[in-house]
Amino acid sequence: MNKAKPTVLKIGGSVITDKNGELEARTDVIDRLAGEIERAAIKRLVVIHGGGSFGHTKAQQYGIKDGLKDPSQLAKFAETHHVMTVLNGLLMDSLIWHNVPAVSVTPSSVIMTKEGRITTFDETVMRKLLEMKMTPVMYGDAVLDSEIGFTILSGDQLTATLATLLEAERIVIGVDVDGLFDGDPKAEKTTKLFEHLTVDELRKLQGKLGKSTACDVTGGMFGKMAELLYAVERGIPATIVNASEPDNVYLALRGERVRGTTIGEK
Amino acid sequence: MNKAKPTVLKIGGSVITDKNGELEARTDVIDRLAGEIERAAIKRLVVIHGGGSFGHTKAQQYGIKDGLKDPSQLAKFAETHHVMTVLNGLLMDSLIWHNVPAVSVTPSSVIMTKEGRITTFDETVMRKLLEMKMTPVMYGDAVLDSEIGFTILSGDQLTATLATLLEAERIVIGVDVDGLFDGDPKAEKTTKLFEHLTVDELRKLQGKLGKSTACDVTGGMFGKMAELLYAVERGIPATIVNASEPDNVYLALRGERVRGTTIGEK
């Protein structure tokens, strides 16, 4: 593989879907983000997106994450994966419309987990796409699991694993808040944004603020960071920005100054 | 893997799309076929479909089959793959609606070719899906090629390779004619249908009737059989039926008597 290190962009499911509706995509946001990706013109880029009201809703409804318990769930697993391909298709449509050479690499076709953790990952095609300067796109997906039959692979675990595997230059994470705060910015007004955190500072804050998703005072953000830690501990810096606001993803991809939280070097 | 051998069903692109229009799917036919697959209730089934007016049209327009010649083709390769995922999505929608636990395995995510012939094929997920009694679905696709950058993988090559790899019990091929004729049934009225051919007979007829697609007097059918030969020579019988007519695919899947051409042992 060519030496140039790829950038990994993760777009949160809550950015591109409406969590209040079922199977409601924000096609205007998808189109704006595809445009920002086009303008940023990053030669080696991997895009990963979450499931939002597509994947999460179905997965929860059918208990896919906890594995196969009843044969009637097989068709439900199939349906959960299928709705993710539909959401992915909307982003692919938009990226191709914007002339980005984006090729979807289906997570459930190349990845298997064991009790929810990635064990098999055939990244042959992924590497070849990057070498050819195309943009592989992956997503949180319903995947097969060697121990429990099937489960849900989060876009966050995928992002950290892939960034590490590909020795990414950096990770850009687009969410629906401005970054990491010392509280929940959606619930409180006096929360403070962390502009820069070292790996050590992130670890300490996680213990303090985000012990579990259930009692995470930061609205789930520090909980999500647990997955990301795997990559930043291995020297891959991450920038978290608000992708619901125009231009932030563009600026972060270009490495320009942008409101948000940077973790690790730089 | 469990010992039960899978059946491989190939559905021709000309059956599920309108070759006269661009990107025109025959959703009524897709829905009828999904219903026949549901009724047949084959425990271990792999479904493969062609590209018809989706894949073929784009591939030809952009010269994808001949490989990468100009960087501007990268976005065109991406587009060609994308339209195939759209056609696949319509079939998946319909299969899931019919309660078939169908899971799409993206060919370009798991297969690479060398000068158009499959060299890499990670079938881990495919085997696991069959073991779990789910129905993997693949399709003719735009894939990466280690020698020429990218190319088109035909549903026919995929069918023969996969059937051989999985030691399939048999192959059912649904096309838009009644089987193999000694002439072109669409152009002539006096052509005779071959109801049964041994592998040797097929080989001899191929030399006589279908030397190349360009001068194939059978309307391309014997030319297509060149790919299939690989599997039937290895002891996997194939039945060719008219999938544009109701019930033929159902009957062939159930192993019941049906008008068509059978090749190799029964």
Side-chain angles (χ1 to χ4, degrees):
Chain A
M1 192 186 166
N2 190 301
K3 288 285 152 55
K5 293 178 166 185
T7 297
V8 176
L9 168 65
K10 160 83 200 294
I11 303 170
S14 57
V15 174
I16 55 172
T17 71
D18 184 346
K19 286 218 171 176
N20 296 318
E22 193 189 347
L23 305 186
E24 260 185 59
R26 291 189 165 126
T27 47
D28 53 334
V29 176
I30 289 175
D31 189 60
R32 173 179 56 74
L33 288 171
E36 291 186 33
I37 290 167
E38 179 191 16
R39 270 196 295 140
I42 305 294
K43 280 275 175 296
R44 283 164 211 277
L45 177 70
V46 177
V47 178
I48 295 169
H49 64 84
S53 69
F54 281 66
H56 284 214
T57 312
K58 291 286 172 197
Q60 215 149 6
Q61 189 177 342
Y62 301 138
I64 302 300
K65 191 171 183 173
D66 300 332
L68 175 65
K69 294 186 175 159
D70 184 282
S72 71
Q73 281 179 301
L74 293 176
K76 303 305 186 190
F77 169 83
E79 186 183 338
T80 306
H81 166 62
H82 179 59
V83 299
M84 278 309 303
T85 70
V86 173
L87 177 59
N88 175 250
L90 294 174
L91 177 60
M92 300 315 293
D93 248 1
S94 205
L95 286 169
I96 287 164
W97 183 257
H98 281 276
N99 216 29
V100 177
V103 177
S104 185
V105 178
T106 308
S108 58
S109 295
V110 297
I111 292 174
M112 277 185 61
T113 55
K114 186 177 177 181
E115 289 185 328
R117 307 306 302 174
I118 294 174
T119 48
T120 308
F121 193 158
D122 180 13
E123 84 268 21
T124 317
V125 165
M126 173 76 65
R127 287 188 192 274
K128 181 74 180 170
L129 285 170
L130 284 170
E131 191 188 310
M132 293 173 74
K133 293 174 188 162
M134 289 200 267
T135 303
V137 181
M138 296 190 98
Y139 44 93
D141 197 5
V143 299
L144 297 184
D145 188 290
S146 60
E147 200 69 26
I148 58 174
F150 50 60
T151 191
I152 295 297
L153 168 66
S154 74
D156 292 317
Q157 185 188 158
L158 186 52
T159 300
T161 307
L162 200 53
T164 308
L165 210 58
L166 300 174
E167 299 176 65
E169 195 181 345
R170 61 215 187 81
I171 300 172
V172 172
I173 302 195
V175 290
D176 63 350
V177 291
D178 287 352
L180 290 179
F181 289 82
D182 63 355
D184 182 354
K186 288 181 181 170
E188 307 154 50
K189 281 202 170 164
T190 57
T191 53
K192 186 185 137 271
L193 177 72
F194 296 107
E195 291 193 353
H196 185 269
L197 292 173
T198 64
V199 176
D200 274 347
E201 286 168 342
L202 176 64
R203 256 198 230 105
K204 274 180 208 152
L205 281 166
Q206 258 183 323
K208 212 172 107 191
L209 298 173
K211 263 184 193 129
S212 77
T213 311
C215 61
D216 188 334
V217 297
T218 64
M221 279 302 292
F222 272 93
K224 284 167 81 76
M225 290 303 118
E227 292 289 359
L228 193 63
L229 201 55
Y230 182 80
V232 289
E233 274 176 341
R234 280 156 187 81
I236 305 170
T239 305
I240 302 158
V241 296
N242 192 335
S244 298
E245 304 290 334
D247 283 333
N248 289 334
V249 165
Y250 167 78
L251 291 170
L253 284 177
R254 299 293 305 175
E256 292 178 29
R257 203 177 158 77
V258 57
R259 179 172 164 85
T261 303
T262 301
I263 302 160
E265 252 88 64
K266 271 238 264 211
Chain B
M1 192 185 166
N2 190 300
K3 287 284 150 55
K5 292 176 166 186
T7 298
V8 176
L9 168 65
K10 159 84 202 291
I11 302 171
S14 56
V15 174
I16 55 173
T17 71
D18 184 345
K19 285 217 173 181
N20 296 318
E22 195 192 345
L23 305 185
E24 259 185 62
R26 292 189 164 125
T27 47
D28 53 335
V29 176
I30 289 174
D31 188 60
R32 173 179 56 74
L33 289 170
E36 292 187 33
I37 290 167
E38 178 190 18
R39 271 196 295 140
I42 305 294
K43 280 274 175 297
R44 284 164 211 275
L45 177 69
V46 178
V47 178
I48 295 167
H49 65 84
S53 69
F54 282 66
H56 284 214
T57 313
K58 290 287 175 198
Q60 215 149 7
Q61 190 178 340
Y62 301 138
I64 302 300
K65 192 172 182 172
D66 301 331
L68 174 65
K69 294 185 176 163
D70 184 282
S72 71
Q73 281 178 300
L74 293 174
K76 303 304 184 189
F77 169 83
E79 185 184 340
T80 306
H81 167 63
H82 179 59
V83 298
M84 279 309 303
T85 69
V86 173
L87 176 60
N88 176 250
L90 295 173
L91 177 61
M92 302 313 294
D93 248 0
S94 205
L95 286 168
I96 287 163
W97 183 257
H98 281 276
N99 217 28
V100 177
V103 177
S104 187
V105 178
T106 308
S108 58
S109 295
V110 296
I111 292 174
M112 277 187 60
T113 55
K114 186 178 176 181
E115 289 186 328
R117 308 305 304 174
I118 294 173
T119 47
T120 308
F121 192 158
D122 180 13
E123 83 269 20
T124 317
V125 165
M126 172 76 64
R127 287 188 191 275
K128 181 75 180 168
L129 285 169
L130 285 169
E131 192 188 310
M132 293 173 75
K133 293 176 187 159
M134 290 200 267
T135 302
V137 181
M138 296 189 98
Y139 45 93
D141 197 5
V143 299
L144 297 185
D145 188 289
S146 59
E147 199 68 27
I148 58 173
F150 50 61
T151 190
I152 294 298
L153 169 66
S154 75
D156 294 315
Q157 185 188 159
L158 186 52
T159 301
T161 306
L162 200 53
T164 307
L165 211 59
L166 300 174
E167 299 177 64
E169 195 181 347
R170 60 215 187 81
I171 300 171
V172 172
I173 302 196
V175 289
D176 63 349
V177 291
D178 287 353
L180 291 181
F181 289 82
D182 62 356
D184 182 353
K186 288 183 182 168
E188 306 155 50
K189 280 202 170 163
T190 58
T191 52
K192 186 184 138 273
L193 176 73
F194 296 107
E195 291 193 352
H196 185 269
L197 291 173
T198 64
V199 175
D200 275 347
E201 286 168 342
L202 176 64
R203 256 198 230 106
K204 275 179 205 148
L205 282 167
Q206 258 183 323
K208 212 173 108 192
L209 298 172
K211 266 184 190 130
S212 78
T213 312
C215 61
D216 188 334
V217 297
T218 65
M221 279 302 292
F222 272 92
K224 283 167 82 77
M225 289 305 117
E227 292 289 358
L228 193 63
L229 201 56
Y230 181 81
V232 289
E233 273 176 340
R234 279 155 186 82
I236 304 168
T239 305
I240 303 158
V241 296
N242 192 335
S244 297
E245 304 290 334
D247 283 334
N248 289 333
V249 164
Y250 167 77
L251 291 169
L253 283 177
R254 298 293 306 174
E256 291 179 29
R257 204 179 156 76
V258 56
R259 178 172 165 85
T261 303
T262 301
I263 302 161
E265 253 89 62
K266 261 243 256 238

